[in-house]
Amino acid sequence: MYSLGWMLCAVCYVLFAYNTYAQGNAHDPCLSPTTCGECIRVPNCVWCSHTMMSVQGNDSRRCQLRDLMTYCPLESLVDPIPVEKILVDIPMTRSLRIDEPTQLHPQRVSLTNLRQGLVHNISMQFKVVKNYPADLYYLMDVSHSMLDDKNNLVRLAGSLVETMRNITTAFKMGFGSFVDKNVIPFVEKTTASCGPRSLPEIGCSVTYSFRHQLSMSADVNEFTASVNSTSIVTTFDVPEGGFDALLQAMVCKDQIGWRERSRRLIVFATDAHSHLAGNGRLGGIIKPNDGLCHLDPENNMYVEALNQDYPSLGQISRFAKDNDMNIIFAVTNDVAPSYLKFMELVSGSSVAILGPDSENIVELVRETYEKISSSVEMMDTAGPEVKVRYYTACTGTLVQENNKCGGLKVGDIVNFTISIEAIECPVNVSARTPTIQIKPVGVNEVLTLDLEIVCDCGCEKPGGPGFVANATECNSVGDLECGVCDCDSLHSGSNCECSADVNIADLETNCKPDNSTNVLCSDRGNCFCGVCECQKRPNPTEVISGKYCECDNFSCDRIDGNLCSGHGDCNCGQCLCYAGWQGSDCNCRTTNETCIPIGGGDVCSGNGVCNCGSCQCSANSNGRYCEDCPTCPSRCDEFTPCVQCKVFQTGPYSADNEAACNSECTYSIITQETVQVEETSERECSYENEEKCTVKFVYGFDSNGARRVRVQKEPICPEPIPALAIGLGLAGALIALLLFALLCYRIATYFYDKREYARFLNEKKNAKWNTDNNPLYVNPTGTFRNPTYKL
Ligand SMILES: *[C@@H]1O[C@H](CO)[C@@H](O)[C@H](O)[C@H]1NC(C)=O
Ligand SMILES: *[C@@H]1O[C@H](CO)[C@@H](O)[C@H](O)[C@H]1NC(C)=O
Ligand SMILES: *[C@@H]1O[C@H](CO)[C@@H](O)[C@H](O)[C@H]1NC(C)=O
Ligand SMILES: *[C@@H]1O[C@H](CO)[C@@H](O)[C@H](O)[C@H]1NC(C)=O
Ligand SMILES: *[C@@H]1O[C@H](CO)[C@@H](O)[C@H](O)[C@H]1NC(C)=O
Ligand SMILES: *[C@@H]1O[C@H](CO)[C@@H](O)[C@H](O)[C@H]1NC(C)=O
Ligand SMILES: *[C@@H]1O[C@H](CO)[C@@H](O)[C@H](O)[C@H]1NC(C)=O
Ligand SMILES: *[C@@H]1O[C@H](CO)[C@@H](O)[C@H](O)[C@H]1NC(C)=O
Ligand SMILES: *[C@@H]1O[C@H](CO)[C@@H](O)[C@H](O)[C@H]1NC(C)=O
Ligand SMILES: *[C@@H]1O[C@H](CO)[C@@H](O)[C@H](O)[C@H]1NC(C)=O
């Protein structure tokens, strides 16, 4: 799990690094480190300790990806690269000498300057040499059930030695025997006791825990004699105290005579279970085993047997590993299961089933030895700060991560690539220079690696190159470390120029408009104690200004290379135009004068707007002053007063207001006999003067847009009216009217008279009085029939 985690991390990191490399910023891993030490702890970041360097901005950062660090002088670049040095390597040829056989090359390597997160490969070879020394210690249970085994071993010793000599000539054997602690209940009697069947071969002897009987010897007869002289001992309980003996055999190197460089085998031959740590309590022994050698130099007996408990399996395992012991548990079938469990716990151990009477002991030892000597398995003592990986093709060609090779023959060379990765920078400084032992399991040879993980820069340490105490660059109140000032407690700032009561973070925030950016002083100045000091330009008329150096007076719009067209001042990127000019580049006039037609008139003839000194005409007009507009309403009324005053001396600008006439009527007004429209832009106008005569004129524009008026000299008057005819007509009409009135009167009186007479006649007919008797009536003498009245 642990290594998987690290692998994932590494993959992530690679992707991350790739991304940042591809994008160039955003998650730049070299952005956040502020000291040289922090910088070099990020793989691929390098530090520039050049003192004159401006640390502001992007392209001059001190901590930068290696590929982008193009601006740092080589001698100021801090980029530790691992240095591998082979300190000890006994040449291969010498390993053929029997007295100094060496299988592992090299023996000591130093690796310095290894950066955190970096992998360095070291190559190592393992050569299976001929006649590599082998030491075999035969540790035998001599309780009474092992009598046959003992006799057989005496018989087979010669064959065992011959077989082993066939494999390696440098073969030595030793012998030791064990029974159990001489304390009840492990024994029947603590004094000499005789066997149950009182066989003569067994005899009576005192039980002992461990007796070392023969130190490593090349002489087979010594071995045979030593085994033969061993007496068999009677015990009470079944488990025996063999682990006491096993531990002593491993740790008592001098007495046993283990050679410094050899394969070490211990054959642990028993037919019984073994007592383990804690069992000693049965006999009242509670002191734990201390794991030290306690052999009596005189008779080579284990002297602490009655004081110390049996060793634990953990102790057995540790000492087997530390002393490169290969333990062969040569046990009988009935007890094999428990020893198989031990085998799993004890490194480099194996279990061999002992036949009845140990007949097969020679074969067992040979097989086991060949198995362990034909394989190599690498292990190391690296701590958590270092990851060691092994790559090998063994004897083949496919290199893969693997620390184990089997099936080796004498003369084979296995090449290992050992990749050393510094995973972290330990806080404990002494853990940054660990010594790592890399060794094959079960072989007392080691490759010692003196590692140095580099977590700091030399220029950060007093006395190191590039370290200047009380440096002038730091105003003599700080030390110059890797080009950066480390100020005393009273000062801060990049050159220790600021007082310490404001922290650097605050200082920097004052040098940028907000925290959306990391760019100080707009990248055009240095932040000194929270104040931007803007860069000077080579051209003295170009000045950078503003709180964040955000302004300048040279980057405004230009026309033909002239800043603000030469009609304004550049202020913070904006043109401030002189009077009379406007626009972003001050290239526009503010007056309308140039939009007024020559000789006066409306701006753009009233048909457009004046923009930047020239007319923008509305859709239906054109011309420089938009004067040409066939579809616009006529402008006759505008011209009439001038025609009146200039040509006829009448109208609102007439003679008594000559000044108005002169000022308003500045354009050309000419008179012609007759006028008519001659160009499309011309318009015809007319008006009626005081004499009821029509004045006709035409207006138009010349090529400059100036107005022109042509007036017809003579107004057009109507024909005079005939007065006499009108008078007579009127008189005639009057008379006719009078006559008509007379006639009407006469007609009216006639009808009136007629109606009166009729009324009279009607009264007379109905009168009481008789016409004959009327005294007033005188009958006329005449022939008139009708009466006549005397009036
Ligand atoms: C910083 O440097 C990177 C890599 O050179 C570049 O892509 C980026 O534009 C630079 N940024 C600025 C603000 O100069
Ligand atoms: C180290 O060796 C292994 C195996 O040959 C290889 O895969 C790896 O890339 C090497 N690492 C370095 C940093 O050379
Ligand atoms: C030792 O090796 C020789 C030759 O290889 C062989 O003849 C002999 O039998 C071997 N002896 C033993 C005990 O294996
Ligand atoms: C073993 O010892 C006995 C006497 O203790 C002797 O008779 C016998 O010959 C010895 N055996 C060997 C192989 O030396
Ligand atoms: C092992 O490495 C050595 C040199 O380092 C080389 O000569 C030899 O061929 C390599 N052996 C194998 C099996 O790769
Ligand atoms: C650092 O490690 C060394 C050896 O591992 C140890 O002796 C020492 O006490 C440790 N120091 C601290 C401060 O932990
Ligand atoms: C640096 O200055 C401090 C205080 O001013 C002083 O104590 C120290 O001795 C000086 N160190 C050197 C190397 O001049
Ligand atoms: C800027 O910093 C202020 C104070 O530290 C914080 O409140 C604010 O959220 C920050 N704004 C941004 C955009 O990071
Ligand atoms: C910029 O400003 C400086 C100082 O105000 C002035 O001397 C210089 O002439 C200005 N430059 C331009 C191009 O206006
Ligand atoms: C220029 O003409 C525009 C309309 O076209 C008017 O709004 C503006 O006041 C005039 N400016 C001057 C200085 O006459």
Side-chain angles (χ1 to χ4, degrees):
M1 277 314 285
Y2 190 64
S3 67
L4 182 70
W6 276 110
M7 268 170 66
L8 281 178
C9 266
V11 168
C12 287
Y13 179 73
V14 167
L15 289 177
F16 173 76
Y18 175 77
N19 266 349
T20 56
Y21 185 74
Q23 291 169 3
N25 41 29
H27 298 100
D28 188 342
C30 311
L31 196 59
S32 50
T34 54
T35 68
C36 183
E38 287 171 19
C39 185
I40 63 162
R41 289 183 197 189
V42 183
N44 299 320
C45 291
V46 295
W47 181 266
C48 186
S49 64
H50 195 55
T51 46
M52 301 306 288
M53 192 169 107
S54 150
V55 290
Q56 305 296 330
N58 180 23
D59 55 349
S60 56
R61 270 169 30 196
R62 288 197 180 275
C63 188
Q64 182 63 279
L65 283 170
R66 186 182 292 111
D67 294 347
L68 300 180
M69 183 64 89
T70 50
Y71 44 84
C72 193
L74 210 59
E75 70 275 8
S76 303
L77 194 67
V78 183
D79 179 15
I81 44 172
V83 179
E84 180 191 336
K85 233 185 258 168
I86 294 176
L87 303 179
V88 181
D89 187 8
I90 298 164
M92 287 260 194
T93 47
R94 281 186 63 196
S95 70
L96 291 175
R97 285 172 47 186
I98 287 169
D99 57 344
E100 234 177 38
T102 310
Q103 303 198 111
L104 203 60
H105 298 271
Q107 289 83 41
R108 192 169 197 115
V109 174
S110 79
L111 178 59
T112 51
N113 259 357
L114 183 65
R115 287 171 62 164
Q116 178 183 334
L118 238 62
V119 176
H120 183 82
N121 279 347
I122 294 174
S123 58
M124 184 195 81
Q125 273 137 37
F126 182 82
K127 181 177 186 186
V128 184
V129 299
K130 198 167 188 274
N131 294 329
Y132 192 78
D135 291 338
L136 187 144
Y137 193 71
Y138 205 101
L139 193 56
M140 192 175 190
D141 178 358
V142 290
S143 59
H144 62 265
S145 55
M146 292 294 283
L147 177 64
D148 302 346
D149 307 75
K150 186 198 106 176
N151 295 337
N152 271 335
L153 185 59
V154 171
R155 188 165 56 78
L156 293 172
S159 150
L160 179 62
V161 171
E162 192 188 336
T163 305
M164 289 305 289
R165 289 262 157 82
N166 252 9
I167 301 170
T168 170
T169 52
F171 178 70
K172 284 188 177 180
M173 272 178 106
F175 183 75
S177 60
F178 65 88
V179 192
D180 209 341
K181 291 182 191 296
N182 188 19
V183 64
I184 294 169
F186 308 131
V187 294
E188 212 167 6
K189 289 186 196 156
T190 56
T191 52
S193 62
C194 299
R197 283 158 287 169
S198 281
L199 290 174
E201 300 98 307
I202 292 179
C204 303
S205 47
V206 180
T207 302
Y208 57 92
S209 177
F210 169 57
R211 175 188 285 157
H212 166 58
Q213 291 176 234
L214 176 69
S215 297
M216 289 302 165
S217 158
D219 186 348
V220 65
N221 296 327
E222 264 189 293
F223 181 81
T224 315
S226 177
V227 177
N228 195 21
S229 66
T230 306
S231 46
I232 292 294
V233 178
T234 305
T235 54
F236 180 70
D237 68 341
V238 173
E240 307 296 359
F243 281 6
D244 265 343
L246 188 56
L247 190 125
Q248 293 301 308
M250 290 192 286
V251 300
C252 297
K253 287 187 198 160
D254 295 341
Q255 290 92 331
I256 306 290
W258 294 112
R259 280 174 287 179
E260 193 51 45
R261 189 155 296 164
S262 65
R263 275 195 193 277
R264 299 165 177 181
L265 284 90
I266 295 178
V267 177
F268 183 85
T270 182
D271 60 354
H273 295 285
S274 291
H275 284 300
L276 287 171
N279 290 169
R281 286 160 190 267
L282 295 173
I285 302 167
I286 52 168
K287 195 175 160 195
N289 198 300
D290 65 3
L292 299 176
C293 178
H294 295 289
L295 281 191
D296 178 1
E298 289 197 356
N299 54 12
N300 286 324
M301 297 286 275
Y302 175 44
V303 293
E304 290 289 318
L306 303 185
N307 299 328
Q308 293 187 6
D309 194 3
Y310 299 102
S312 66
L313 272 174
Q315 283 175 308
I316 298 286
S317 176
R318 184 158 66 84
F319 288 117
K321 194 169 154 190
D322 289 356
N323 298 303
D324 303 303
M325 297 295 169
N326 299 283
I327 300 169
I328 304 171
F329 293 109
V331 296
T332 50
N333 214 1
D334 50 337
V335 295
S338 61
Y339 287 96
L340 282 167
K341 288 217 169 63
F342 298 163
M343 183 185 85
E344 287 166 18
L345 300 175
V346 180
S347 78
S349 69
S350 53
V351 172
I353 306 298
L354 206 57
D357 312 334
S358 298
E359 280 291 350
N360 60 344
I361 189 68
V362 176
E363 210 41 32
L364 282 186
V365 171
R366 189 185 61 79
E367 273 173 14
T368 311
Y369 183 82
E370 280 186 344
K371 198 170 82 198
I372 62 174
S373 64
S374 70
S375 70
V376 60
E377 177 180 0
M378 301 306 301
M379 50 164 264
D380 55 76
T381 60
E385 69 279 2
V386 182
K387 174 84 190 152
V388 180
R389 292 189 190 83
Y390 302 91
Y391 296 90
T392 182
C394 290
T395 49
T397 50
L398 176 66
V399 176
Q400 49 193 2
E401 190 174 347
N402 178 19
N403 67 337
K404 218 182 216 174
C405 291
L408 305 180
K409 295 184 300 295
V410 168
D412 281 349
I413 296 179
V414 179
N415 288 351
F416 282 98
T417 298
I418 304 175
S419 93
I420 310 286
E421 180 181 3
I423 280 169
E424 58 181 17
C425 269
V427 186
N428 188 340
V429 176
S430 67
R432 292 176 186 174
T433 52
T435 298
I436 298 170
Q437 312 259 312
I438 298 167
K439 66 192 297 291
V441 176
V443 177
N444 189 25
E445 286 187 53
V446 62
L447 162 58
T448 305
L449 176 66
D450 298 319
L451 184 63
E452 183 213 18
I453 304 172
V454 60
C455 298
D456 301 303
C457 303
C459 49
E460 281 173 331
K461 297 174 196 139
F467 182 95
V468 184
N470 296 354
T472 49
E473 286 90 342
C474 307
N475 290 309
S476 301
V477 291
D479 301 334
L480 190 65
E481 297 180 4
C482 304
V484 177
C485 285
D486 182 23
C487 307
D488 68 10
S489 57
L490 299 175
H491 296 86
S492 63
S494 58
N495 294 84
C496 306
E497 72 280 24
C498 312
S499 90
D501 33 348
V502 266
N503 71 32
I504 295 290
D506 283 350
L507 294 181
E508 291 199 340
T509 52
N510 289 337
C511 288
K512 54 186 185 179
D514 51 50
N515 44 8
S516 64
T517 172
N518 273 334
V519 176
L520 300 183
C521 301
S522 312
D523 247 358
R524 303 201 294 184
N526 293 332
C527 185
F528 286 120
C529 310
V531 179
C532 284
E533 196 158 283
C534 303
Q535 284 166 2
K536 298 272 179 288
R537 304 272 300 180
N539 178 349
T541 65
E542 298 184 346
V543 171
I544 300 173
S545 59
K547 190 177 177 206
Y548 310 116
C549 302
E550 74 279 17
C551 287
D552 62 52
N553 68 359
F554 54 85
S555 58
C556 290
D557 287 352
R558 288 171 192 258
I559 298 285
D560 295 337
N562 290 324
L563 206 54
C564 300
S565 318
H567 299 137
D569 288 328
C570 182
N571 178 29
C572 208
Q574 296 253 309
C575 286
L576 292 183
C577 301
Y578 298 146
W581 296 92
Q582 63 184 16
S584 68
D585 49 11
C586 296
N587 204 20
C588 272
R589 292 177 184 279
T590 51
T591 66
N592 287 348
E593 270 165 32
T594 53
C595 293
I596 297 172
I598 291 158
D602 286 345
V603 169
C604 299
S605 311
N607 296 329
V609 289
C610 188
N611 186 357
C612 218
S614 59
C615 284
Q616 280 189 341
C617 299
S618 50
N620 49 6
S621 63
N622 50 47
R624 186 166 155 201
Y625 301 102
C626 310
E627 69 279 356
D628 185 2
C629 183
T631 59
C632 293
S634 90
R635 291 163 61 190
C636 294
D637 292 349
E638 177 190 333
F639 293 96
T640 303
C642 284
V643 171
Q644 283 177 320
C645 87
K646 280 279 178 185
V647 181
F648 303 103
Q649 287 79 41
T650 57
Y653 304 151
S654 62
D656 42 332
N657 192 3
E658 205 165 321
C661 185
N662 285 339
S663 68
E664 295 297 324
C665 311
T666 52
Y667 43 90
S668 127
I669 299 178
I670 56 170
T671 54
Q672 292 177 330
E673 284 303 320
T674 54
V675 292
Q676 57 193 17
V677 172
E678 286 164 4
E679 293 168 29
T680 53
S681 65
E682 286 183 334
R683 284 290 193 99
E684 189 180 287
C685 306
S686 64
Y687 72 94
E688 190 176 62
N689 65 6
E690 293 86 344
E691 287 90 33
K692 307 282 182 258
C693 298
T694 303
V695 179
K696 189 176 161 197
F697 64 92
V698 164
Y699 71 86
F701 304 91
D702 67 10
S703 59
N704 288 325
R707 292 165 291 179
R708 298 185 302 209
V709 177
R710 291 180 287 126
V711 187
Q712 187 161 315
K713 199 186 245 164
E714 292 301 331
I716 304 157
C717 295
E719 290 298 317
I721 298 161
L724 182 64
I726 291 170
L728 287 178
L730 279 173
L734 215 64
I735 289 165
L737 202 70
L738 274 168
L739 286 173
F740 181 71
L742 211 60
L743 184 66
C744 290
Y745 177 74
R746 280 305 301 160
I747 291 169
T749 51
Y750 169 75
F751 282 110
Y752 179 74
D753 284 353
K754 205 174 167 187
R755 200 170 70 222
E756 283 293 307
Y757 180 66
R759 193 157 59 113
F760 168 71
L761 287 182
N762 201 26
E763 275 180 13
K764 196 180 131 186
K765 205 183 325 173
N766 299 329
K768 291 184 175 110
W769 41 279
N770 199 324
T771 55
D772 296 337
N773 298 347
N774 189 348
L776 291 174
Y777 186 71
V778 177
N779 210 2
T781 60
T783 55
F784 288 109
R785 200 182 52 95
N786 288 342
T788 334
Y789 294 93
K790 275 192 239 181
L791 293 171

